[in-house]
Amino acid sequence: RKITKTKTAFPTDDALRKIVYLATMEITKKWTMPVQNWAECISQFAIQYGDRLSGAL
């Protein structure tokens, strides 16, 4: 919310996705604890986006 509230409009949905992705990448640099339930999350991502995750697993 902090990232998107200063913007009044996004030209495309992809522009919004890009800014959220970049904000996520920036904040993950500060994370020190492992992600809880990551195995469950990655299995759901594999179901939804299996074709994109084949090299990342």
Side-chain angles (χ1 to χ4, degrees), residues 14 17 21 42 44-57:
D14 285 336
R17 284 188 196 102
Y21 172 79
I42 199 72
Q44 290 297 315
F45 290 148
I47 292 168
Q48 294 291 321
Y49 308 106
D51 55 333
R52 298 185 208 175
L53 288 177
S54 59
L57 295 175

Side-chain angles (χ1 to χ4, degrees), residues 8 16 19-20 25 29-30 38 41-42 45 47-48 50-51 54-55:
T8 56
L16 176 61
I19 199 163
V20 170
M25 291 294 103
K29 293 177 185 176
K30 299 177 184 178
W38 182 246
C41 293
I42 199 72
F45 290 148
I47 292 168
Q48 294 291 321
D51 55 333
S54 59

